[in-house]
Amino acid sequence: MSGHRGLRLVFSLLLATFLVLNVQQASASGRPRWVASWAASPVVGSVIPWSDCPAGTGLTDQTVRNVVFVSAGGGLVRVRLTNAFGATPLEVGHASVAVQSAGAGAVPGTVRELRFHGRRGVTVPAGRELFSDPVALRVAALSTLLVSVYVPGSTGPVTNHPFTAQGNFLAAGDRAVDVAGADYGNTPCWMLADGVDVVPNRPVVGSVVALGDSITDTSATTGNANHRWPDFLARRLNALPGPTLSVVNAGLGGNRVLLPREGEPYYGIPAVDRLDRDVFAQTGVRTVILLEGVNDIGFDASAPDLIAGLRFIADRTHAAGLRIVGATITPFGGSFIETPSRNQTWATVNDWIRHSGTFDAVVDFAAATAAPGNPMALNPAYDSGDHLHPNDAGTEAMAAAIDLSALFPHHLAVAG
């Protein structure tokens, strides 16, 4: 080992020790030890007719390099691997985390090999998820990381997140600790990992989980730009001068509140059934923002049934000791799902969200994105073109409509 490499190793060990001590002090003072900085709600591996994501057929001797946008920064990082929907144990041979340079390339000197109980490889049982051991890595808030996972054998269908608005990468063989990305090709989905936690380097007092469907997951936003409404919310929260919150996106394209979509497992299990993993298990969760229901309306769910589902989510969230903010469903006038009866369901459900008192607070996304003089249609400036999904300007307007003070527990003040 060269002198420079030895000094770097000693420095890394000292930094990790310093950060662990800081974490212990933070825990003693009541601040969260870890907070979720990025997460993605997983679904079962299946073939998607219009996508070349390989999750349905599985991987063999390949490395996935997931590109993830983190909402909070810190100096200590851990990664969550997922086999939540796997039918058999998942053998992981090698994994890493790094700061992205460009594409599949990492910033030199930032690649950190991940260990699991001190070992390089790990087997994730079917139906389970697990965190890596912590690694020292300086992560800036609102930056992009590369999470690489190598599987040596044949996996069968793999747990994944199919709709990302983000280009990701796939390589043959073990490329987990490569700095350059030349050996990687493109893949559209996140696979094998569904969370990144940090020990924050500022007073991040917990996380906000945005539970929703495609309008939360990706909407029709620009790819590789991180313009989802939870991303814009993360920017607002990061700009606060004092205590703040991280943001976790628990959106799933095509998801419904009440029922699964038969024959289309890539849209995920319904929201009422994914609370424990996708919401309550997120590290440091304090508050949930609930925006879901338009797909139920599009499948002709009744207003009483949809209200019962939303109330169930609110009641379970309160039982878990968390705040919940109800968000009105955005307009869809002129879209392929619009009918007079669905318009009435939309109006009834939104009136209940605004006035029932079920939620700790309400954010009126419907009003924030509506066309002037026509509350049932998206503002043309916010319309992606399908009259259903907001564009980048629309998702930014949604994030701007949120009262940040409503996200914080009552005993914590928020400035700005």
Side-chain angles (χ1 to χ4, degrees):
M1 179 182 294
S2 70
H4 289 303
R5 289 182 63 193
L7 286 172
R8 284 200 299 269
L9 177 59
V10 170
F11 175 76
S12 295
L13 291 171
L14 288 172
L15 177 60
T17 301
F18 171 77
L19 289 166
V20 169
L21 289 173
N22 276 357
V23 172
Q24 292 170 344
Q25 292 169 358
S27 297
S29 68
R31 296 201 304 271
R33 177 171 180 170
W34 292 90
V35 295
S37 189
W38 169 84
S41 296
V43 303
V44 66
S46 62
V47 174
I48 303 173
W50 64 91
S51 172
D52 61 359
C53 175
T57 53
L59 308 174
T60 302
D61 186 28
Q62 289 172 288
T63 305
V64 179
R65 181 156 278 186
N66 302 287
V67 182
V68 306
F69 178 69
V70 293
S71 59
L76 207 60
V77 181
R78 65 184 185 184
V79 170
R80 186 174 60 224
L81 301 184
T82 181
N83 193 24
F85 291 94
T88 59
L90 173 70
E91 183 184 355
V92 173
H94 208 183
S96 72
V97 63
V99 178
Q100 184 191 37
S101 173
V107 173
T110 69
V111 178
R112 300 289 187 269
E113 183 181 74
L114 297 175
R115 298 272 173 163
F116 303 87
H117 302 293
R119 298 180 178 180
R120 193 174 90 167
V122 68
T123 298
V124 186
R128 297 282 300 278
E129 302 188 321
L130 60 84
F131 276 106
S132 71
D133 300 339
V135 293
L137 178 65
R138 295 187 183 277
V139 175
L142 311 178
S143 65
T144 305
L145 301 182
L146 304 174
V147 175
S148 304
V149 184
Y150 167 64
V151 288
S154 295
T155 62
V158 295
T159 300
N160 71 107
H161 185 95
F163 312 119
T164 64
Q166 174 63 62
N168 303 286
F169 302 97
L170 188 64
D174 182 2
R175 299 291 179 182
V177 295
D178 284 10
V179 176
D183 291 312
Y184 281 92
N186 296 318
T187 193
C189 46
W190 290 314
M191 292 179 281
L192 307 177
D194 69 349
V196 174
D197 287 2
V198 300
V199 173
N201 52 13
R202 60 170 293 190
V204 180
V205 297
S207 57
V208 177
V209 176
L211 178 62
D213 47 42
S214 60
I215 294 172
T216 297
D217 187 10
T218 64
S219 188
T221 58
T222 301
N224 302 329
N226 304 307
H227 283 172
R228 313 162 190 88
W229 72 257
D231 299 334
F232 286 115
L233 174 60
R235 293 181 178 96
R236 289 190 64 202
L237 285 165
N238 186 65
L240 293 177
T244 191
L245 296 156
S246 64
V247 179
V248 169
N249 190 329
L252 270 177
N255 198 235
R256 293 162 67 180
V257 173
L258 300 171
L259 295 169
R261 292 175 60 159
E262 294 298 328
E264 298 174 315
Y266 36 84
Y267 292 131
I269 61 175
V272 292
D273 292 331
R274 60 189 185 96
L275 296 175
D276 288 326
R277 182 192 56 250
D278 291 1
V279 179
F280 304 151
Q282 300 300 335
T283 306
V285 58
R286 296 294 193 99
T287 300
V288 178
I289 302 176
L290 173 61
L291 170 62
E292 191 148 2
V294 71
N295 292 312
D296 298 78
I297 294 172
F299 279 83
D300 294 315
S302 71
D305 285 349
L306 183 51
I307 287 169
L310 297 174
R311 189 189 298 277
F312 173 84
I313 292 172
D315 289 347
R316 283 214 58 206
T317 301
H318 283 141
L322 307 176
R323 291 176 59 76
I324 184 165
V325 176
T328 53
I329 301 167
T330 50
F332 53 80
S335 76
F336 74 97
I337 71 168
E338 185 188 20
T339 67
S341 63
R342 292 170 181 170
N343 289 347
Q344 184 56 56
T345 299
W346 172 84
T348 300
V349 172
N350 276 351
D351 183 69
W352 174 82
I353 291 169
R354 291 184 182 107
H355 303 298
S356 69
T358 299
F359 302 98
D360 298 286
V362 171
V363 54
D364 201 341
F365 283 159
T369 58
N374 184 4
M376 303 195 73
L378 285 172
N379 187 323
Y382 298 155
D383 190 344
S384 66
D386 66 2
H387 312 305
L388 174 64
H389 294 92
N391 59 17
D392 294 11
T395 55
E396 186 170 14
M398 291 167 69
I402 298 169
D403 177 3
L404 298 186
S405 66
L407 306 181
F408 286 77
H410 288 306
H411 66 283
L412 294 172
V414 56

